[in-house]
Amino acid sequence: MVEALATDVRRAIDAVWRIEAPRLIAGLARLVRDVGVAEELAHDALVTALEEWPTSGIPHKPGAWLMTAAKNRALDLVRRRKLLDRKHRELGREAERAQEAAANEIERAADDDVGDDLLRLIFTCCHPVLPPEARVALTLRMLGGLSTEEIARAFLATEPAIAQRIVRAKRTLAEKQVPFEVPHGEDRAARLQSVLGVVYLIFNEGYAATAGDAWIRPQLCEEALRLGRVLAAAAPDEPEAHGLAALMELQASRTRARVGPGGAPVLLLDQNRALWDPLLINRGLAALARADELGGAHGPYALQAAIAACHARARAPEETDWPRIAALYGELARVAPSPIVELNRAVAVAMADGPAAGLAIVDGIAGDPVLRGYHLLPSVRGDLLAKLGRRDEARAEFERAAGMTRNQRERALLLERAAGLRAAV
């Protein structure tokens, strides 16, 4: 009985940590001005909780308890630094006063609102001095609460490689003396795109895994959704933050329907729409409306969310408003031009105006170097050729796509479609 109770407490502590860790690290990072040190202090507080809570019980406000424990350790750290500085006479009176002020700030900060701190932490983790892969790893570690092992497993990397990536990222932030702040003006707008891009990259890797044996990785989708909600709440006047939240909510609503028995992929038009999550759909539509209210209806994420909303509102595939989707993709191509957007537009045009119209768009972008090695190009082309009755060409395209993808589930689906065309001949 005692062991079972201790196990329940440990599970509860783990759940509390997942929820509170981002706010805790964010608050501490503002005070000590070092993301790595803030993480260490937060983990020290967690260790204390693991030691005390199984006996004393989980406190009424576990987040405040952890913050107080971490604050005390931060105070100890500041005091040790002050003592060391005095002993070695390395700092003058001005530095001592600055450290004293820091200690006083920590004393006052335990109950501060953390919304701004979370936003600062998001922008710090996604700072342009870090390479994109480091931003993703650091964001998942600091804000997603994932362990190094979990991040490595999610991105099919080795644990030592991810650990080095995170260590280098924290060292770079410290060495470059990156300020723990939300940038302003043009700098903020530029950095916001990086932040949104990192969160959506995490979501996409969960929604359609680029490699491995799983078609989707729900944990990554959930972490990206949570980060998107945090970002939208912390930046309530940023329309694209709400646009991204809407896009992820609407896409995530289809998660249960995207995988069939045994983990096989289920394509959009074949999905059981009764499995789509109405709560996530409503959240997505509300976030999209908020982006529109803020004047962001034509932002790249809001436009993609509007496309997802067209699918969400259709009770059956044949009720889908494909002309509107094609028009939205046309607007997206104007706002954020790319051959991948054009490829998606080709699919929508094919559904609205026929496969020949879609194929003409695909053939027009087939030589773009960005699409070289992109397996969805031959996959889409194969689908359009099949609808036009050009089975041999379609089969060759599906086989080519299967050879290009690194996801085992997707490869099996493409080869199955190619085999079906061979049997139909």
Side-chain angles (χ1 to χ4, degrees):
M1 177 68 74
V2 174
E3 288 183 3
L5 181 61
T7 300
D8 289 342
V9 171
R10 284 180 174 272
R11 286 175 181 164
I13 292 173
D14 182 63
V16 168
W17 175 254
R18 291 274 182 161
I19 295 170
E20 299 293 342
R23 289 189 284 268
L24 186 61
I25 294 172
L28 292 166
R30 173 170 58 85
L31 301 174
V32 299
R33 301 288 170 176
D34 188 310
V35 172
V37 172
E39 185 187 21
E40 291 173 7
L41 291 169
H43 277 100
D44 286 345
L46 175 63
V47 170
T48 303
L50 288 169
E51 292 171 349
E52 296 187 13
W53 289 4
T55 302
S56 64
I58 298 174
H60 179 59
K61 294 183 177 179
W65 190 101
L66 287 168
M67 186 62 187
T68 299
K71 177 201 70 173
N72 291 335
R73 290 186 177 275
L75 277 169
D76 290 340
L77 176 64
V78 170
R79 288 166 181 156
R80 284 198 303 272
R81 287 175 175 174
K82 285 174 62 179
L83 180 60
L84 190 62
D85 290 339
R86 285 171 181 162
K87 284 182 177 180
H88 293 277
R89 301 182 182 279
E90 293 178 350
L91 296 177
R93 298 177 64 85
E94 183 178 347
E96 290 181 9
R97 285 196 296 271
Q99 287 183 332
E100 189 67 39
N104 293 335
E105 186 179 3
I106 291 173
E107 289 281 11
R108 295 192 300 268
D111 298 319
D112 280 356
D113 178 72
V114 296
D116 289 342
D117 287 342
L118 280 172
L119 194 57
R120 290 186 187 100
L121 184 58
I122 291 173
F123 273 91
T124 301
C125 289
C126 299
H127 196 281
V129 299
L130 302 177
E133 64 274 11
R135 298 176 205 171
V136 170
L138 193 61
T139 300
L140 283 174
R141 179 63 177 269
M142 297 296 177
L143 288 145
L146 271 66
S147 68
T148 304
E149 179 185 1
E150 289 170 323
I151 299 170
R153 187 166 62 247
F155 285 93
L156 303 179
T158 65
E159 191 171 344
I162 293 295
Q164 287 181 349
R165 194 175 295 173
I166 293 171
V167 168
R168 282 197 298 267
K170 289 189 286 188
R171 184 187 303 128
T172 298
L173 293 176
E175 290 175 350
K176 299 290 186 181
Q177 297 183 338
V178 171
F180 186 71
E181 64 183 14
V182 177
H184 300 285
E186 293 181 1
D187 288 343
R188 176 172 176 144
R191 287 268 295 282
L192 179 63
Q193 292 307 309
S194 173
V195 170
L196 297 175
V198 166
V199 174
Y200 195 39
L201 177 63
I202 294 169
F203 180 84
N204 272 340
E205 184 58 33
Y207 191 70
T210 56
D213 297 325
W215 172 238
I216 62 174
R217 297 194 177 99
Q219 184 184 27
L220 279 183
C221 288
E222 291 166 7
E223 291 300 335
L225 263 177
R226 188 167 67 81
L227 290 174
R229 291 166 184 164
V230 166
L231 185 57
D237 297 325
E238 296 287 356
E240 273 290 76
H242 296 283
L244 175 60
L247 175 57
M248 293 191 297
E249 300 277 9
L250 291 167
Q251 287 184 321
S253 71
R254 305 196 291 261
T255 300
R256 283 189 301 163
R258 296 187 73 242
V259 179
V266 180
L267 300 180
L268 177 63
L269 297 182
D270 299 325
Q271 289 172 13
N272 178 1
R273 300 191 177 207
L275 296 177
W276 289 5
D277 190 324
L279 175 61
L280 293 182
I281 290 174
N282 288 334
R283 289 181 66 111
L285 294 176
L288 181 58
R290 178 58 181 159
D292 191 21
E293 289 171 7
L294 293 169
H298 297 285
Y301 292 111
L303 284 169
Q304 292 177 75
I307 291 167
C310 289
H311 294 297
R313 293 187 177 106
R315 291 172 296 179
E318 58 271 17
E319 295 180 15
T320 305
D321 189 350
W322 287 108
R324 173 162 170 74
I325 292 176
L328 286 167
Y329 269 121
E331 178 64 11
L332 182 61
R334 185 187 68 79
V335 173
S338 85
I340 293 176
V341 170
E342 277 297 291
L343 183 62
N344 285 310
R345 187 174 76 87
V347 174
V349 168
M351 296 299 295
D353 300 329
L359 184 61
I361 297 174
V362 171
D363 287 345
I365 60 174
D368 195 298
V370 173
L371 296 176
R372 186 179 297 119
Y374 187 57
H375 70 283
L376 290 182
L377 175 64
S379 175
V380 168
R381 195 167 188 275
D383 183 67
L384 297 177
L385 288 167
K387 289 176 179 177
L388 290 169
R390 295 159 61 177
R391 290 188 176 87
D392 288 342
E393 294 173 81
R395 185 176 68 250
E397 289 294 292
F398 284 133
E399 289 173 348
R400 185 161 74 95
M404 294 164 69
T405 182
R406 293 185 295 137
N407 185 282
Q408 301 302 322
R409 295 288 185 181
E410 195 167 24
R411 179 180 292 115
L413 175 64
L414 290 164
L415 290 175
E416 181 182 336
R417 297 194 70 183
L421 289 167
R422 184 179 293 108
V425 174

